[in-house]
């Protein structure tokens, strides 16, 4: 795979280094309460290049055409998922998908 930990996975999706952010939080972890500070970090062009190099051609296309908008602008207007966040406040979920990993339906 292209990531060895959940932190590395989120770092690649958002093109910002989670480990660096968490060290700046004095050993704290990223949560839905502080993720806005993480998302305010500048996009890492180096992390984008490294991630693109590891992806298959079809995955690279998705990364370049979809994820870069979320990374740079923080949103993708017109889509059902107009914003993408690394953490969710699970207390807001009224129902969950069978996996328990996210909300059910729209």
């Amino acid at each position: 795979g292209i990531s060895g930990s959940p932190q590395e996975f989120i770092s690649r999706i958002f093109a910002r280094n989670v480990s660096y952010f968490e060290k700046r939080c004095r050993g704290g972890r990223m949560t839905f309460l502080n993720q806005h500070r993480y998302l305010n970090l500048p996009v890492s062009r180096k992390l984008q290049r490294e991630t693109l190099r590891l992806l298959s051609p079809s995955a690279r296309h998705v990364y370049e055409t979809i994820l870069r908008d979320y990374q740079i602008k923080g949103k993708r207007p017109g889509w059902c998922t107009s914003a993408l966040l690394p953490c969710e406040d699970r207390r807001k979920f009224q129902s969950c998908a069978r996996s328990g990993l996210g909300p059910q339906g729209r």
Side-chain angles (χ1 to χ4, degrees):
I2 66 166
S3 59
S5 69
Q7 288 85 355
E8 185 180 356
F9 177 77
I10 294 297
S11 294
R12 292 193 183 284
I13 295 294
F14 290 91
R16 294 163 177 86
N17 189 308
V18 173
S19 295
Y20 170 78
F21 172 77
E22 290 181 340
K23 285 177 189 165
R24 286 182 54 198
C25 288
R26 295 179 184 87
R29 301 194 47 93
M30 182 169 47
T31 69
F32 71 92
L33 297 171
N34 64 13
Q35 68 184 343
H36 64 283
R37 292 195 330 248
Y38 169 75
L39 293 170
N40 283 332
L41 292 174
V43 169
S44 168
R45 303 287 180 216
K46 179 183 176 198
L47 195 49
Q48 284 178 325
R49 284 191 307 271
E50 289 173 357
T51 301
L52 284 168
R53 195 171 53 245
L54 294 169
L55 295 172
S56 68
S58 60
R60 191 175 307 122
H61 176 74
V62 170
Y63 188 92
E64 290 177 320
T65 59
I66 297 173
L67 285 178
R68 279 200 178 163
D69 276 351
Y70 286 117
Q71 293 168 351
I72 295 167
K73 301 173 194 169
K75 57 187 168 187
R76 191 164 170 91
W79 280 44
C80 292
T81 305
S82 60
L84 189 63
L85 298 171
C87 304
E88 290 280 357
D89 180 357
R90 296 180 59 84
R91 298 173 300 177
K92 292 182 180 179
F93 294 168
Q94 294 179 8
S95 62
C96 289
R98 278 187 253 169
S99 67
L101 296 175
Q104 174 87 23
R106 295 178 219 236

